């Protein structure tokens, strides 16, 4: 276990890179099976999901497309609960299988907003794929079909997740001490 300091906080290793990649591969295998013959559009939520999305896409073997959307709901270590759409979706979603790729689902408010936004574009189905899920923190009823790992309600950093925009480059996931 290693300890890193980011700004004013210390974090310890909680999920090593090898375990993350093993879980990402398992999620990709389920998606490959479930979406065979469907050409899904993956919508990766920036900034946090970019590392997960890249590793996930390398394991996807079916025809697919990827695009990016940017939503913001965090400030420092806490969710503001107020979601601002920063960068929208340009693709035609009508009749498409959509898979939202998110780094972490905790309150579920970001996903609820995103599903509502996508629903106005007439997709065939909208699926949620998240690297991490904090089930005890959910405030809305969500069907997160593809989850790599469930975690407790700790503040984490690394593998794309940040603390005030720092730490995204860490290969492992770290928990605040």
């Amino acid at each position: 276990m290693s300890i890193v300091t980011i700004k004013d906080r210390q974090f310890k290793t909680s999920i090593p890179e090898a375990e993350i990649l093993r879980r990402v591969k398992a999620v990709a295998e389920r998606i490959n099976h479930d979406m065979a013959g469907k050409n899904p559009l993956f919508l990766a939520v920036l900034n946090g999901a970019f590392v997960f999305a890249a590793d996930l896409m390398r394991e996807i073997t079916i025809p697919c497309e990827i695009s990016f959307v940017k939503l913001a709901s965090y400030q420092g270590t806490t969710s503001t609960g107020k979601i601002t759409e920063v960068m929208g979706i340009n693709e035609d979603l009508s009749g498409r299988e959509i898979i939202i790729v998110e780094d972490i689902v905790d309150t579920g408010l970001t996903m609820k907003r995103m599903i509502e936004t996508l629903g106005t574009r007439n997709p065939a189905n909208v699926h949620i794929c998240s690297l991490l899920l904090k089930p005890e923190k959910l405030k809305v009823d969500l069907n997160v079909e593809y989850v790599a790992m469930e975690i407790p309600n700790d503040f984490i950093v690394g593998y794309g997740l940040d603390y005030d925009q720092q730490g995204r480059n860490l290969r492992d996931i770290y928990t605040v001490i």
Side-chain angles (χ1 to χ4, degrees):
M1 174 179 62
S2 65
I3 294 177
V4 298
T5 301
I6 300 172
K7 294 193 170 193
D8 58 342
R9 300 274 178 103
Q10 285 195 314
F11 297 83
K12 65 179 180 181
T13 306
S14 59
I15 309 169
E17 181 184 30
E19 177 67 9
I20 297 167
L21 295 175
R22 188 179 72 73
R23 300 285 188 100
V24 169
K25 184 175 181 137
V27 166
E29 287 171 0
R30 285 188 49 223
I31 292 171
N32 287 329
H33 176 267
D34 294 352
M35 296 292 152
K38 295 183 180 175
N39 190 30
L41 172 62
F42 289 85
L43 289 178
V45 180
L46 295 174
N47 288 337
F50 80 101
V51 175
F52 173 46
D55 285 343
L56 181 69
M57 292 306 288
R58 284 192 281 267
E59 298 293 340
I60 297 295
T61 57
I62 59 171
C64 64
E65 298 171 35
I66 187 166
S67 190
F68 297 86
V69 64
K70 187 168 182 177
L71 302 172
S73 67
Y74 261 81
Q75 217 167 34
T77 61
T78 57
S79 178
T80 63
K82 181 179 170 188
I83 296 142
T84 309
E85 187 167 352
V86 181
M87 186 174 77
I89 302 158
N90 300 321
E91 288 77 12
D92 179 10
L93 306 184
S94 296
R96 299 285 312 265
E97 293 291 332
I98 308 299
I99 301 175
I100 301 169
V101 180
E102 180 66 294
D103 56 352
I104 186 167
V105 173
D106 51 21
T107 65
L109 295 172
T110 300
M111 282 298 99
K112 182 177 186 285
R113 164 75 190 274
M114 184 134 176
I115 289 167
E116 288 168 356
T117 301
L118 294 176
T120 66
R121 312 273 298 269
N122 303 314
N125 294 292
V126 177
H127 309 271
I128 302 170
C129 175
S130 185
L131 174 67
L132 304 166
L133 174 65
K134 293 182 177 180
E136 65 194 52
K137 189 128 187 253
L138 278 175
K139 292 182 178 178
V140 294
D141 187 29
L142 281 180
N143 177 19
V144 186
E145 286 177 73
Y146 305 104
V147 178
M149 293 171 269
E150 289 188 3
I151 62 168
N153 188 23
D154 297 327
F155 186 76
I156 57 172
V157 69
Y159 194 76
L161 295 107
D162 72 299
Y163 170 44
D164 276 345
Q165 300 302 323
Q166 299 292 308
R168 292 187 195 279
N169 58 315
L170 299 169
R171 292 179 171 271
D172 302 322
I173 292 175
Y174 294 78
T175 303
V176 70
I177 298 176

